[in-house]
Amino acid sequence: MWRSGWRTSGVLRRLSGRSASLGAWRWASTTACERALLRYRVGEKIHGFTVSQVTSVPELTLTAVKLSHDGTGAQHLHLAREDRNNLFSVQFRTAPADSSGAPHVLEHTVLCGSQRYPCRDPFFKMLNRSLSTFMNAFTASDYTLYPFSTQNPKDFQNLLSVYLDAAFFPCLRELDFCQEGWRLEHEDPSDPQTPLVFKGVVFNEMKGAFTDNERIFSQHVQSRLLPDHTYSVVSGGDPLCIPDLTWEQLRQFHATHYHPSNARFFTYGNFPLEQHLKQIHEEALSKFQRIKPRTAVPAQKPWDKPREFQVTCAPDSLAAGSSEQTTISVSFLLPDITDTFEAFTLNLLSSLLISGPNSPFYKALIESGLGTDFSPDVGYNGCTRDAYFSVGLQGIAEKDIQTVRDLVDRTLDDIIEKGFEDDRIEALLHKIEIQMKHQSVSFGLALTSYIASCWNHDGDPVELLKLGSQVARFRKCLEENPKFLQEKVKQYFKNNQHKLTLSMKPDDKYSEKQMQLETEKLKQKVNSLSPEDKQQIYEKGLELQAQQSQPQDASCLPALKVSDIEPRIPFTEVEVALAAGDTPVQYCTQPTNGVIYFRAFSSLNTLPEELRPYVPLFCNVLTKLGCGGLDYRELAQQVDLKTGGLAAAPHVLPDDSHLDTYEQGVLFSSFCLDRNLPDMMHLWSEIFNNPCFEEEEHFRVLVKMTAQELSNGVPDAGHLYASIRAGRMLAPAGDLQETFGGMDQVRLMKSVAEMTDIKPILRKLPRIKKHLLNCDNFRCLRWRIRWTASSGPSAGVRRSGSLCPRTWWSHLSLAVKSPDWRATWAGDAAASELEASRRCTLTLIVSSVHFLERTLPAHLSLGVFSFLWETFYFQKPAPKGPGRHSLVTRKLVMDPTFKPCPMKTHFLFPFPVNYVAECIRTAPYAAPAHASLKILARLMTAKFLHTEIREKGGAYGGGARLSYGGIFTLYSYRDPHSTETLQSFLKAIDWAKSGRFTQQDINEAKLSVFAAVDAPVAPSDKGLDCFLYGLSDEVKQAHREQLFAIRHEDLVDVSNRYLGAGRSTHGVAVLGPDNASIAKDPSWVIR
């Protein structure tokens, strides 16, 4: 996977994993951390490694152990932390000299077989022989990273063995290079009369990547700003240069770059370090001698004067304003990223400059009305040896280029003169504090990604993790010099001659020109071939086709067994009681480390049909337009100072029992430190009761940004948009999903952004609010409290028997009784660990929000049917079970008139690749057939579709999946084919119906499915399935037992019953270029 130029900006986002996600957390216990701190000593020898540093990093609850390998000099960093989701990665510094894509093609090819595991494609095969929580590989601008994670110790050793052998002892067969990289092959490999064309997985992946104008612009910024060495080329490969790469060059690149002396190993979690080191040494490093790698990337030589460039791209048919699609940015070279404190400071400075409506560049550029959004890659970029900062606008008229440049210069002058408000700096430091507590279940992956670039250039990764000390040093610098940040702006921006101004404008013939260049490249290659060469190409094509079609013996690969899977899920204890008289409260004790999580779900059942398309826009702007006595700038400041963010998002939640039943609503989410709970709830109260819908100019700004973001996202998520459209007419929820998150929403926002008078849209927001922000429509409030039992709650959390839930509802202040009331130690089974930490948590999930400052009129009567818009609305109690009561109800929708119908849609885009989806209506979650279909989807992906779509067809990805709501989807991603892929889907169904798979294949599919089913769940998400979907642990356990029990005949049965032609309703959608056969077929709708 190529991810050059695509970075998560800022220390906050990179450490949090998913910055917008509320499913983030960190483990409470420090057992592994403490054990490592006591166990390892500097100078200690362990299995060929020597310990060079042991450091506690308390702010992240981990101990860092640095080692080096005595024989090869390989570096190893182990982060000991009480986390079951253990991670390994190995990275190599890979600095290409040209744009032929050598590191990217190599990343793919090493995973195609190795000395110990010579079967074809062991990487993809291990996806079905493992319980891994993550497996992938990434090619960045100057390094290649191979990470995996798992919760199973045996699985960890299996995957480590495969990864080590792939990286250090790959087969690098010529046919694998041809399949994964590029090849000349006849359009029909079995017919030498068909024309020769370019094929290859990486070739098509990069063609797809560069359909995205944001990626094109980001690549040009990096290449033009850092032109002296490796950053001037495309590490992933330019599609026009990839055919210049030879097999011999690939082998040589591996020999010079994939050596232990050029490697950095990383392990994370609570598994023993000794076992990791022993296996790495014995299976890989002991077989090498130390060398001096010549892979260092030199520093960029600073310019003596600024430079300017202009490039072109394809017009964006989804962007608002066809005449205003120019992009401009001004970029500045910054210091080496190995200076960790300077990098930390500039990262924070970048956030102050561009983040949120109070930032100077937001005010100067976004609110100027000249463009739609910031330019791509805006802010601090620390993914190259020399960092850089970019700022600019996209969606501007070409005539406004100079105006934007002037605005950038004037804004920098203003900052140097006036500096930053203290509250904005405090808000930013608060973000760091809360993100250190609020982290994802994939924290190991976040850490290895966070340190990769700095470590790659011999920076100190441990210093990078010491966020607490960096914050303290930053505060000290500000105290000693109030103009500390202003001086940085002057030094690195105002007086910096290494300054690039890059503009990009659309060219109507851009795609045509790119196609012509590829045609010329192909012609050049073909014309240079002798008759013998052509015959060899034909024979090699047949050989590759035969290899791809031949069943592979994967018995050499290690594998877990189905018996290694835990037979039962860990049950989450959930209880429901009444608070404040009639408010159902769901309790769930979990460790949340002083962070409180709030969630509320509000039904959309009473909302008029004509307002539904505008619900996503309403959600996007609700927390950004101001409320009560706060304007939008003041609200943004309070949100940053007191919370980790406020969010609202539309949801369509299928029922577990009926395909034609679903729930519609909006999920409100936020989190904060426990001391800030009263402030966070006050903000929500103001937003719910007194939202501001009068800020027309700021509303227009938000509309343009939303439309631009949706438009920019289509090339990367084309398969998802195709899937949503294909499933639109298969179930009643499908149409609403298209309205909320499909191409209809993208096109609607484009039309809204182009409106000269936006007042009619603005007037819809109060009408939506009237129906949505209604206490009778709310189902849930979820919040978490954590205090230290020995010292009492932290600031803002009072602890006494007099503080009952009624107090909170009426006064919006936190109110709980003492721990004896309900809170217990988090996880009674781990009493010894918890006694050491002396902390406990309380989680409340409330089914109705009664803390609103005024009572709103009821619109639905509980327990009765209402008939509106020819649709039934009814209550469905949550499932009963131990410790559960049916007090929490879901307001479901059922349309008795709905009839599924087939639909085929082709969205025309000037892409060189396609995104294809076919959806089939099958069975909901609770139906016994659902478990069989889930196993079948994984089986079809691994045993048929991967070979047909990726290996033979050359698409970057493809497969099958089953949704919770019972929609079975076959899809492809960055696919050179469309109608041919649809034929492959039919072949896959025929293959499944014929039962041409073994019991071993079924067992492997079960392992893959259970890897997803048993993926780590954050404490903040425990019980979430119950309140969102009404799923109890008992229902999930029953489903689990159904998965275990699946037999061969069950899979054949559901294949015939649901997937065959005429059995169930199918829907099809394609996003991609014009297709003659589709255009001539009247059954297709062309959009």
Side-chain angles (χ1 to χ4, degrees):
M1 176 188 291
W2 181 63
R3 65 175 188 183
S4 174
W6 231 230
R7 87 284 190 270
T8 49
S9 60
V11 60
L12 306 177
R13 211 174 286 173
R14 283 181 281 169
L15 265 186
S16 65
R18 297 174 299 164
S19 63
S21 168
L22 293 172
W25 65 301
R26 74 189 235 177
W27 298 92
S29 174
T30 58
T31 303
C33 171
E34 291 173 345
R35 187 167 58 242
L37 196 60
L38 296 171
R39 164 67 179 83
Y40 304 111
R41 293 289 179 267
V42 173
E44 182 180 358
K45 304 283 186 179
I46 310 174
H47 298 297
F49 288 83
T50 299
V51 178
S52 60
Q53 182 181 348
V54 181
T55 305
S56 174
V57 186
E59 55 264 55
L60 300 179
T61 326
L62 59 83
T63 294
V65 184
K66 287 176 68 175
L67 311 97
S68 61
H69 187 251
D70 301 332
T72 64
Q75 301 177 49
H76 189 115
L77 176 64
H78 177 68
L79 300 183
R81 196 163 184 266
E82 195 55 38
D83 189 341
R84 291 180 59 240
N85 194 25
N86 287 253
L87 180 130
F88 164 86
S89 72
V90 60
Q91 75 178 69
F92 303 94
R93 188 189 293 141
T94 49
D98 56 43
S99 294
S100 63
H104 189 193
V105 176
L106 184 60
E107 173 224 306
H108 281 240
T109 312
V110 299
L111 300 175
C112 288
S114 61
Q115 291 181 14
R116 189 173 179 184
Y117 306 111
C119 64
R120 194 177 81 244
D121 221 351
F123 174 81
F124 280 97
K125 287 180 171 59
M126 284 303 295
L127 289 172
N128 306 294
R129 303 168 74 87
S130 159
L131 291 173
S132 66
T133 56
F134 184 85
M135 284 178 64
N136 215 325
F138 303 102
T139 301
S141 295
D142 52 17
Y143 67 85
T144 306
L145 180 73
Y146 296 88
F148 72 78
S149 61
T150 181
Q151 302 175 89
N152 184 294
K154 180 180 176 183
D155 198 28
F156 191 99
Q157 294 177 27
N158 290 348
L159 290 169
L160 180 56
S161 181
V162 172
Y163 266 62
L164 290 173
D165 211 56
F168 294 104
F169 311 107
C171 294
L172 296 181
R173 295 171 288 233
E174 185 177 12
L175 286 181
D176 292 332
F177 164 72
C178 294
Q179 173 185 284
E180 295 298 315
W182 78 277
R183 65 188 182 275
L184 274 176
E185 189 175 86
H186 291 283
E187 204 168 68
D188 179 353
S190 60
D191 184 358
Q193 302 306 312
T194 57
L196 289 169
V197 295
F198 288 133
K199 295 183 181 180
V201 173
V202 170
F203 178 76
N204 287 315
E205 178 189 348
M206 296 310 296
K207 285 179 70 174
F210 284 115
T211 61
D212 184 344
N213 288 343
E214 287 198 301
R215 286 184 183 266
I216 294 172
F217 190 85
S218 297
Q219 182 64 51
H220 278 295
V221 168
Q222 178 177 295
S223 300
R224 307 282 184 170
L225 189 68
L226 304 167
D228 290 357
H229 199 257
T230 191
Y231 305 119
S232 64
V233 304
V234 184
S235 62
D238 184 328
L240 296 175
C241 300
I242 290 173
D244 294 332
L245 180 65
T246 68
W247 178 42
E248 284 302 324
Q249 288 172 338
L250 185 84
R251 292 162 61 87
Q252 183 59 32
F253 194 89
H254 180 270
T256 56
H257 291 80
Y258 279 47
H259 189 281
S261 300
N262 190 45
R264 289 156 179 81
F265 294 88
F266 176 91
T267 49
Y268 163 89
N270 64 357
F271 292 165
L273 170 62
E274 289 84 353
Q275 173 61 40
H276 303 336
L277 298 179
K278 183 176 187 291
Q279 190 172 354
I280 292 169
H281 173 74
E282 291 179 353
E283 295 188 13
L285 303 193
S286 62
K287 300 174 174 61
F288 291 87
Q289 299 296 318
R290 186 190 298 259
I291 65 169
K292 188 172 183 179
R294 302 180 182 275
T295 58
V297 178
Q300 170 65 44
K301 182 180 178 181
W303 299 340
D304 55 8
K305 62 180 181 180
R307 301 181 184 179
E308 300 177 21
F309 293 96
Q310 186 176 80
V311 296
T312 60
C313 64
D316 186 348
S317 61
L318 294 174
S322 58
S323 63
E324 298 175 347
Q325 293 192 19
T326 296
T327 299
I328 178 176
S329 77
V330 181
S331 304
F332 302 86
L333 184 71
L334 298 178
D336 191 318
I337 60 174
T338 59
D339 184 342
T340 53
F341 179 68
E342 196 73 354
F344 178 82
T345 300
L346 290 171
N347 211 330
L348 296 190
L349 178 58
S350 170
S351 295
L352 288 169
L353 290 171
I354 64 169
S355 295
N358 291 299
S359 65
F361 277 119
Y362 189 101
K363 294 175 182 177
L365 298 181
I366 298 297
E367 294 186 347
S368 68
L370 295 173
T372 56
D373 203 350
F374 280 124
S375 54
D377 218 20
V378 65
Y380 179 85
N381 189 320
C383 293
T384 50
R385 173 175 171 166
D386 297 294
Y388 57 90
F389 173 88
S390 295
V391 67
L393 278 176
Q394 58 183 309
I396 71 169
E398 188 176 0
K399 64 180 178 61
D400 291 326
I401 288 177
Q402 187 59 46
T403 304
V404 174
R405 296 176 63 175
D406 293 341
L407 283 172
V408 170
D409 292 338
R410 285 204 301 271
T411 303
L412 292 173
D413 289 338
D414 288 343
I415 296 166
I416 293 170
E417 178 184 350
K418 301 174 183 176
F420 300 97
E421 296 174 2
D422 290 342
D423 274 357
R424 291 207 62 232
I425 296 173
E426 283 305 316
L428 192 59
L429 297 178
H430 167 260
K431 276 189 177 181
I432 295 176
E433 181 184 4
I434 197 170
Q435 292 293 0
M436 284 191 295
K437 294 174 177 289
H438 165 83
Q439 293 152 2
S440 74
V441 291
S442 299
F443 192 45
L445 181 63
L447 287 174
T448 194
S449 299
Y450 174 57
I451 67 174
S453 291
C454 179
W455 197 17
N456 189 53
H457 299 288
D458 300 319
D460 187 343
V462 178
E463 283 301 311
L464 203 61
L465 298 175
K466 295 180 180 179
L467 296 177
S469 62
Q470 293 182 46
V471 169
R473 184 177 172 186
F474 179 78
R475 285 190 181 278
K476 185 177 180 181
C477 288
L478 285 177
E479 290 171 6
E480 294 175 349
N481 179 9
K483 292 192 174 183
F484 173 68
L485 291 175
Q486 290 153 272
E487 291 174 1
K488 295 294 182 186
V489 173
K490 188 173 183 179
Q491 176 185 358
Y492 291 120
F493 302 121
K494 179 67 177 176
N495 297 335
N496 191 346
Q497 292 301 302
H498 199 116
K499 173 182 177 181
L500 170 73
T501 301
L502 179 70
S503 60
M504 181 175 74
K505 65 177 185 179
D507 179 353
D508 290 338
K509 296 187 178 299
Y510 179 86
S511 299
E512 182 181 326
K513 291 176 181 177
Q514 291 298 114
M515 191 176 298
Q516 181 61 35
L517 289 172
E518 183 181 326
T519 301
E520 291 173 3
K521 184 82 172 184
L522 177 63
K523 184 178 179 181
Q524 175 190 353
K525 288 282 186 183
V526 172
N527 288 345
S528 66
L529 298 173
S530 66
E532 292 77 13
D533 293 333
K534 292 180 179 179
Q535 179 63 27
Q536 188 177 20
I537 286 173
Y538 171 61
E539 292 173 355
K540 192 173 293 183
L542 293 177
E543 183 183 358
L544 178 59
Q545 188 179 45
Q547 176 181 287
Q548 292 168 338
S549 302
Q550 183 178 357
Q552 287 289 305
D553 180 9
S555 60
C556 62
L557 289 171
L560 293 182
K561 299 177 182 178
V562 174
S563 59
D564 292 320
I565 303 170
E566 290 291 333
R568 301 189 64 81
I569 62 171
F571 273 48
T572 301
E573 186 62 31
V574 172
E575 294 185 11
V576 178
L578 293 177
D582 58 355
T583 302
V585 181
Q586 183 174 307
Y587 302 92
C588 176
T589 58
Q590 294 293 327
T592 58
N593 199 46
V595 179
I596 298 172
Y597 296 86
F598 164 91
R599 287 184 178 91
F601 190 85
S602 180
S603 173
L604 287 170
N605 287 358
T606 66
L607 189 70
E609 193 71 28
E610 71 271 13
L611 294 178
R612 290 172 193 274
Y614 301 94
V615 169
L617 177 59
F618 175 90
C619 292
N620 192 38
V621 304
L622 178 64
T623 60
K624 301 172 186 174
L625 284 177
C627 61
L630 303 174
D631 64 23
Y632 69 91
R633 294 192 202 280
E634 293 167 333
L635 175 59
Q637 185 79 322
Q638 288 301 307
V639 168
D640 287 345
L641 275 169
K642 301 298 183 181
T643 80
L646 308 181
H651 278 58
V652 182
L653 307 174
D655 185 41
D656 64 340
S657 304
H658 304 284
L659 286 173
D660 296 334
T661 304
Y662 65 95
E663 186 174 26
Q664 54 186 339
V666 170
L667 180 68
F668 301 94
S669 308
S670 66
F671 61 100
C672 67
L673 299 174
D674 56 8
R675 67 175 184 262
N676 293 325
L677 178 61
D679 297 304
M680 182 177 78
M681 298 315 301
H682 177 70
L683 289 174
W684 275 121
S685 177
E686 288 294 287
I687 289 169
F688 289 159
N689 289 295
N690 305 300
C692 177
F693 297 130
E694 287 79 45
E695 295 272 5
E696 182 181 343
E697 287 308 309
H698 189 57
F699 177 65
R700 183 181 295 277
V701 167
L702 295 174
V703 164
K704 286 184 177 181
M705 292 180 73
T706 301
Q708 188 69 60
E709 289 168 2
L710 286 173
S711 172
N712 291 344
V714 172
D716 262 350
H719 62 309
L720 300 179
Y721 283 108
S723 298
I724 292 172
R725 170 60 65 145
R728 177 179 185 177
M729 303 303 292
L730 302 184
D735 190 57
L736 192 57
Q737 288 168 335
E738 173 69 29
T739 299
F740 284 169
M743 288 303 302
D744 280 1
Q745 181 63 208
V746 179
R747 293 178 183 273
L748 172 67
M749 288 310 304
K750 167 182 162 63
S751 66
V752 172
E754 291 174 335
M755 296 173 68
T756 55
D757 182 8
I758 209 165
K759 288 189 184 70
I761 306 300
L762 191 58
R763 285 195 291 267
K764 295 178 186 295
L765 303 188
R767 296 176 59 200
I768 296 174
K769 180 256 182 188
K770 177 182 176 182
H771 292 272
L772 181 64
L773 303 182
N774 175 329
C775 65
D776 261 1
N777 284 341
F778 274 87
R779 181 172 86 242
C780 161
L781 170 67
R782 177 178 186 165
W783 47 284
R784 281 176 193 261
I785 307 162
R786 181 173 203 168
W787 60 77
T788 303
S790 58
S791 60
S794 60
V797 183
R798 296 171 294 173
R799 179 183 177 187
S800 75
S802 64
L803 292 173
C804 65
R806 183 184 301 277
T807 310
W808 184 41
W809 308 138
S810 58
H811 298 292
L812 290 173
S813 61
L814 175 61
V816 295
K817 291 187 178 181
S818 67
D820 292 338
W821 176 49
R822 180 58 194 89
T824 61
W825 296 114
D828 293 335
S832 59
E833 297 178 10
L834 293 165
E835 187 170 359
S837 64
R838 299 291 290 169
R839 292 172 181 176
C840 65
T841 63
L842 174 66
T843 300
L844 305 182
I845 302 178
V846 187
S847 66
S848 299
V849 177
H850 283 224
F851 60 79
L852 299 180
E853 292 182 340
R854 65 175 182 272
T855 303
L856 301 176
H859 285 258
L860 288 176
S861 298
L862 298 181
V864 301
F865 287 98
S866 297
F867 189 76
L868 298 173
W869 320 312
E870 299 183 344
T871 303
F872 284 113
Y873 298 92
F874 61 95
Q875 311 296 326
K876 181 175 181 178
K880 294 183 179 181
R884 293 172 177 82
H885 307 277
S886 57
L887 294 175
V888 179
T889 59
R890 303 177 67 212
K891 298 182 177 180
L892 300 177
V893 180
M894 180 178 65
D895 183 353
T897 65
F898 176 80
K899 293 189 182 300
C901 63
M903 186 177 190
K904 294 196 259 183
T905 308
H906 185 199
F907 290 100
L908 290 175
F909 285 96
F911 298 160
V913 291
N914 297 275
Y915 304 86
V916 185
E918 180 171 358
C919 291
I920 307 167
R921 176 183 165 99
T922 59
Y925 180 87
H930 189 93
S932 298
L933 288 162
K934 186 181 288 187
I935 300 293
L936 182 65
R938 188 58 220 167
L939 190 65
M940 292 171 70
T941 298
K943 301 303 177 182
F944 191 90
L945 291 168
H946 175 77
T947 298
E948 291 295 316
I949 293 174
R950 181 179 167 110
E951 293 183 350
K952 294 182 181 180
Y956 182 46
R961 60 172 177 261
L962 179 68
S963 74
Y964 175 83
I967 302 300
F968 193 96
T969 302
L970 303 115
Y971 67 94
S972 69
Y973 182 75
R974 291 181 184 169
D975 188 346
H977 307 293
S978 55
T979 52
E980 298 89 342
T981 297
L982 292 172
Q983 290 301 311
S984 294
F985 292 164
L986 290 175
K987 293 177 184 176
I989 292 171
D990 289 340
W991 173 86
K993 289 164 61 178
S994 69
R996 294 199 298 271
F997 41 84
T998 66
Q999 185 59 46
Q1000 176 64 26
D1001 296 336
I1002 297 171
N1003 291 342
E1004 290 178 6
K1006 287 182 180 181
L1007 281 168
S1008 183
V1009 167
F1010 275 108
V1013 169
D1014 293 340
V1017 178
S1020 57
D1021 286 342
K1022 296 281 187 177
L1024 203 56
D1025 285 343
C1026 184
F1027 106 87
L1028 273 183
Y1029 293 93
L1031 273 187
S1032 68
D1033 286 339
E1034 290 81 9
V1035 172
K1036 289 192 284 187
Q1037 179 62 36
H1039 180 72
R1040 185 181 193 83
E1041 291 166 5
Q1042 290 172 349
L1043 290 171
F1044 276 119
I1046 299 303
R1047 302 166 301 171
H1048 186 281
E1049 52 265 39
D1050 299 323
L1051 299 173
V1052 174
D1053 175 62
V1054 294
S1055 300
N1056 284 282
R1057 188 150 39 111
Y1058 291 102
L1059 305 187
R1063 295 290 184 177
S1064 297
T1065 309
H1066 293 230
V1068 176
V1070 175
L1071 273 70
D1074 189 24
N1075 183 291
S1077 63
I1078 291 178
K1080 290 186 290 187
D1081 187 342
S1083 66
W1084 283 85
V1085 176
I1086 312 296
R1087 298 287 297 272

